[in-house]
């Protein structure tokens, strides 16, 4: 797990907490902020996964040329 994946997972957790707090308290703004943070976290996590896959494929390609 790289830094982007870790940050993405954290943002998702933080977003879910905000969303739940907003829903329980009736604060639509906090709920919306939580939804945004959760979505942002999902994007970061997927970016990190793609970056890992790309690095792995690149390294495999380099290894094959040796």
């Amino acid at each position: 797990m790289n830094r982007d994946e870790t940050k993405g997972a954290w943002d998702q957790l933080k977003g879910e907490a905000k969303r739940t707090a907003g829903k329980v308290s009736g604060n639509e703004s906090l709920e919306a902020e939580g939804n945004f943070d959760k979505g942002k976290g999902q994007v970061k996590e997927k970016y990190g996964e793609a970056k890992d896959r790309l690095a792995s494929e690149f390294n495999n390609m380099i290894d094959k040329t040796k």
Side-chain angles (χ1 to χ4, degrees), residues 49-65:
E49 290 171 3
K51 196 163 77 171
D52 275 349
R53 275 194 310 273
L54 181 62
S56 178
E57 288 298 320
F58 179 76
N59 289 332
N60 288 340
M61 187 175 68
I62 295 298
D63 288 343
K64 288 179 182 177
T65 61

Side-chain angles (χ1 to χ4, degrees), residues 17-55:
K18 283 182 182 180
R19 188 185 72 76
T20 301
K23 196 169 213 160
V24 168
S25 67
N27 185 336
E28 291 177 0
S29 177
L30 185 60
E31 188 176 350
E33 187 178 331
N35 286 331
F36 178 78
D37 285 348
K38 189 170 180 179
K40 181 175 69 171
Q42 290 170 339
V43 169
K44 281 183 186 176
E45 189 171 14
K46 293 296 180 190
Y47 170 74
E49 290 171 3
K51 196 163 77 171
D52 275 349
R53 275 194 310 273
L54 181 62

Side-chain angles (χ1 to χ4, degrees), residues 8-19:
W10 173 250
D11 283 346
Q12 287 180 63
L13 181 63
K14 183 174 66 170
E16 185 61 32
K18 283 182 182 180
R19 188 185 72 76

